[in-house]
Amino acid sequence: MNATASLALRTKLTPTTPVLRAATAALWRPDGLRQRYVRYLAAMHPLVRASVPLLERAAERCAELGDPASRLLAAYYLRHAEEERDHDAWLLDDLAAAGAGPAAVPHPVVVELAGAQYYRIEHEHPVALLGYIAVLEGNAPGPRLADRLSEATGLPDRAFRTLREHAELDGGHLDDLHRVLDELAPNPARQTAVSVSALHTANLLTRLFLSLAADPGGHP
């Protein structure tokens, strides 16, 4: 069945949803929210900056493999790279509007998030990157989050472009990913690679949000 691969992935991720929601709620709690939002932007910048290079490298690895499924996957990765291009610049603009700049050193969990994908692309199979993308885009900001944070923090509207844009874009991106995954109909080993990548990503994203929620210092 065409739906099997995407349904299997969504089923695997179901237990992670309440945990991630709790971490997100802690991140956006009212006390200290202005400073925490700026730390969030500074943490997300290097993660978003890694998106296009990851997608392009995954497409290159698919081209090296050369089979029909890998060609389909490469086309998806290159298309998605164009959709994600320059989004890191949005974050720099948001930071500037909030009176801040990028972090001097990336958050260690961000390094692990992106670095794990490089390993999987090079040493497992580039299809694993689908799991990473599914988690990041499946946990996109809600449509009213930017307005709520703007009101609560007193920061200008222009400090929330990334949240607003991704609230609009990521649902459609996730639907596209599910369509591609179903068209690929990966064998059990590759389906497992996608699921393990997704579960690892969900765990790391939870850790990142909890770290940002708990840290009283960090980026100004």
Side-chain angles (χ1 to χ4, degrees):
M1 297 286 292
N2 273 352
T4 300
S6 63
L7 178 60
L9 178 59
R10 283 175 282 178
T11 301
K12 288 280 188 182
L13 285 171
T14 296
T16 72
T17 301
V19 181
L20 255 171
R21 283 181 179 166
T24 303
L27 179 63
W28 301 135
R29 71 186 188 277
D31 59 289
L33 182 55
R34 183 182 180 116
Q35 294 79 11
R36 199 179 313 114
Y37 175 65
V38 176
R39 290 200 302 275
Y40 165 83
L41 292 177
M44 294 305 292
H45 172 252
L47 187 65
V48 172
R49 183 176 57 190
S51 296
V52 171
L54 272 172
L55 288 160
E56 290 177 339
R57 181 55 192 149
E60 289 171 357
R61 286 286 293 121
C62 288
E64 291 166 9
L65 295 171
D67 57 274
S70 294
R71 287 193 290 272
L72 171 66
L73 192 55
Y76 166 75
Y77 285 148
L78 290 175
R79 181 172 72 251
H80 195 47
E82 290 310 308
E83 293 169 343
E84 296 294 322
R85 198 171 300 281
D86 298 327
H87 289 196
D88 56 320
W90 297 355
L91 280 157
L92 291 179
D93 291 343
D94 289 349
L95 281 162
V105 177
H107 194 293
V109 178
V110 167
V111 175
E112 190 174 351
L113 272 160
Q117 295 309 307
Y118 278 111
Y119 180 90
R120 290 191 164 99
I121 289 165
E122 298 296 338
H123 301 294
E124 294 180 9
H125 192 283
V127 75
L129 186 61
L130 291 177
Y132 173 82
I133 299 168
V135 170
L136 295 184
E137 298 197 339
N139 291 278
R144 290 182 292 276
L145 179 62
D147 290 338
R148 181 165 68 85
L149 295 184
S150 178
E151 182 178 353
T153 63
L155 290 168
D157 257 7
R158 63 184 184 279
F160 298 92
R161 179 184 180 184
T162 304
L163 287 183
R164 293 188 197 284
E165 296 279 2
H166 280 270
E168 292 183 11
L169 294 173
D170 285 355
H173 288 173
L174 187 60
D175 291 341
D176 191 26
L177 182 148
H178 287 153
R179 283 192 294 270
V180 169
L181 184 57
D182 289 338
E183 190 172 352
L184 286 170
N187 63 31
R190 292 182 184 174
Q191 181 75 44
T192 297
V194 173
S195 297
V196 169
S197 175
L199 291 169
H200 188 202
T201 301
N203 175 264
L204 290 172
L205 193 62
T206 301
R207 283 175 49 198
L208 176 62
F209 288 172
L210 290 176
S211 172
L212 293 171
D215 181 11
H219 199 286

